[in-house]
Amino acid sequence: MKFCTYTLIDNSPDPISGVQLTPAERFQHVVRQAQWAEELGFDAYGVGERHAQRFISSAPPVVLSYIAAVTSRIRLLTTVTVLSLLDPVRVAEDYATLDQLSGGRLDIIIGKGNDPEQNALFGYDLDGQWDRNREKYELLRRLLRETKVSWSGKYRPALTDATTQPRPYRPDGIPLWHGSASSTESTELAARWGDPLFSANGFHPLAKYAGLIQHYRERWEAYGRDPADAVVGAGFNGLYVKKTSQQAVDGYRPIFDAFMDSPGARHNQLPFRTLEEFLEGGSVLVGSPEQVIDKFGRYQEAFGHELSGISLEVAGLPEEENRESVEAFVTEVMPVLRASYPSRVWAQP
């Protein structure tokens, strides 16, 4: 198993203390977090893209380039690049530059995004966002792999013998993943092009995400590919590890209460009403090391995933307590999971 961590750079006030960082302080916190993730042995660090509400992650190429300069090993992810809003030429240029600066450490995860405010900001209606995502992905894929690209489509001017610069660090381009949260549109596109899939696995029960992953594998095979070659990643909606189950439940309860009152929980229509329902039916990893290993195993059995996303941020949890939880995961849980579940992701050639 490989492990990544990521952030959307939410700059809301702390839901319990009410403290809010300045944008400069929040960005520096993200940089330190990426350095800490590398020290802990995480395989990758991701920055997602949002253009609305309380998020300041509107420029992931800039943030990830800064992180590339102060790290040496950890891979860099976009979680996700909201391609439905962007010009693929600009995306190819920005991320190939980052790829060169980082020595080929970049993977791009693309998606259409799930915030209607973003579409309005860029002058798009919600109608057609999946079609935009598909068309722009297919152009981006070519720009990162080919030179002298001639292309025409619906959502940007045609190209004739276009070669974006710089080229990616590696001759085969930059690895492209598809973020999947709610629709078979993403799983279909990933399967059609033979790309890996990353399931958000965030706000709903296991069965919803397992169904999307199963659709991806079925479509992968329908396109004539070996099912064994499909690669899946999955996120988890929170982490809190304590010595005992009771300590974990008691410590996480105020965090859950604050989370239920958050814009994210309301926007995504979280189906759980109590902490007990959330722990039983959601992907949050809360409990003793043994409990977390067991729950993780149930998800891995359902998904067959080889990359796991674990956030190092728990809104409302004091920093020292959060560090203790993460370090317990890294020392007592992660080694067991790495040994139990092999991964082909980022394998050395």
Side-chain angles (χ1 to χ4, degrees), residues 238-294:
L239 175 72
Y240 187 62
V241 182
K242 299 293 284 185
K243 289 184 178 180
T244 70
S245 171
Q246 194 60 53
Q247 287 176 326
V249 171
D250 291 345
Y252 201 78
R253 191 172 299 278
I255 305 303
F256 172 77
D257 292 341
F259 171 64
M260 286 297 290
D261 194 40
S262 71
R266 292 194 296 271
H267 174 73
N268 288 281
Q269 300 179 334
L270 199 74
F272 311 110
R273 292 294 172 263
T274 68
L275 175 59
E276 288 69 26
E277 289 180 1
F278 189 49
L279 298 181
E280 176 63 28
S283 68
V284 63
L285 299 173
V286 172
S288 67
E290 294 77 14
Q291 286 177 304
V292 170
I293 290 169
D294 180 66

Side-chain angles (χ1 to χ4, degrees), residues 17-317:
S17 71
V19 173
Q20 183 173 22
L21 301 178
T22 67
E25 290 170 336
R26 187 70 176 95
F27 281 126
Q28 287 304 313
H29 175 79
V30 168
V31 172
R32 291 193 300 272
Q33 186 182 78
Q35 293 173 306
W36 185 43
E38 183 169 77
E39 293 168 6
L40 290 169
F42 277 81
D43 299 287
Y45 188 87
V47 175
E49 179 182 350
R50 293 291 284 270
H51 296 273
Q53 299 178 17
R54 61 203 184 275
F55 301 96
I56 57 173
S57 56
S58 57
V62 179
V63 179
L64 287 170
S65 291
Y66 194 111
I67 290 171
V70 297
T71 58
S72 61
R73 175 198 58 80
I74 200 164
R75 291 197 66 86
L76 309 169
L77 302 177
T78 70
T79 51
V80 297
T81 295
V82 187
L83 194 56
S84 65
L85 305 178
L86 307 176
D87 181 352
V89 171
R90 179 79 262 182
V91 173
E93 294 172 337
D94 285 347
Y95 283 116
T97 301
L98 168 55
D99 196 43
Q100 289 285 351
L101 287 168
S102 68
R105 287 192 276 151
L106 177 66
D107 284 45
I108 297 173
I109 303 177
I110 68 104
K112 73 159 182 64
N114 71 345
D115 192 327
E117 291 185 26
Q118 297 183 131
N119 285 269
L121 185 64
F122 282 80
Y124 287 118
D125 294 326
L126 289 177
D127 291 343
Q129 56 186 336
W130 283 113
D131 191 44
R132 293 198 312 270
N133 186 67
R134 177 198 54 76
E135 179 183 290
K136 293 182 176 189
Y137 165 75
E138 291 173 0
L139 175 56
L140 176 65
R141 180 186 181 87
R142 291 190 62 192
L143 292 172
L144 291 175
R145 288 166 167 77
E146 303 174 28
T147 58
K148 297 184 178 180
V149 173
S150 294
W151 172 93
S152 63
K154 182 178 179 181
Y155 297 104
R156 63 146 291 131
L159 298 174
T160 302
D161 290 339
T163 300
T164 54
Q165 295 290 352
R167 305 305 300 153
Y169 184 82
R170 300 188 310 186
D172 57 349
I174 299 169
L176 292 168
W177 297 63
H178 297 255
S180 169
S182 60
S183 172
T184 56
E185 294 277 357
S186 293
T187 52
E188 173 69 26
L189 191 62
R192 176 183 176 185
W193 290 101
D195 295 326
L197 183 80
F198 193 93
S199 172
N201 189 33
F203 292 96
H204 296 275
L206 179 151
K208 175 177 181 177
Y209 302 106
L212 289 167
I213 292 170
Q214 180 62 29
H215 178 265
Y216 165 66
R217 296 185 189 279
E218 290 172 353
R219 296 304 297 157
W220 179 282
E221 187 171 12
Y223 282 111
R225 298 187 175 90
D226 186 341
D229 292 338
V231 174
V232 173
F236 286 86
N237 191 15
L239 175 72
Y240 187 62
V241 182
K242 299 293 284 185
K243 289 184 178 180
T244 70
S245 171
Q246 194 60 53
Q247 287 176 326
V249 171
D250 291 345
Y252 201 78
R253 191 172 299 278
I255 305 303
F256 172 77
D257 292 341
F259 171 64
M260 286 297 290
D261 194 40
S262 71
R266 292 194 296 271
H267 174 73
N268 288 281
Q269 300 179 334
L270 199 74
F272 311 110
R273 292 294 172 263
T274 68
L275 175 59
E276 288 69 26
E277 289 180 1
F278 189 49
L279 298 181
E280 176 63 28
S283 68
V284 63
L285 299 173
V286 172
S288 67
E290 294 77 14
Q291 286 177 304
V292 170
I293 290 169
D294 180 66
K295 184 170 187 177
F296 186 100
R298 296 198 300 273
Y299 274 82
Q300 205 284 331
E301 182 179 1
F303 295 168
H305 64 286
E306 302 176 45
L307 171 65
S308 296
I310 309 289
S311 177
L312 302 187
E313 300 176 316
V314 181
L317 190 65

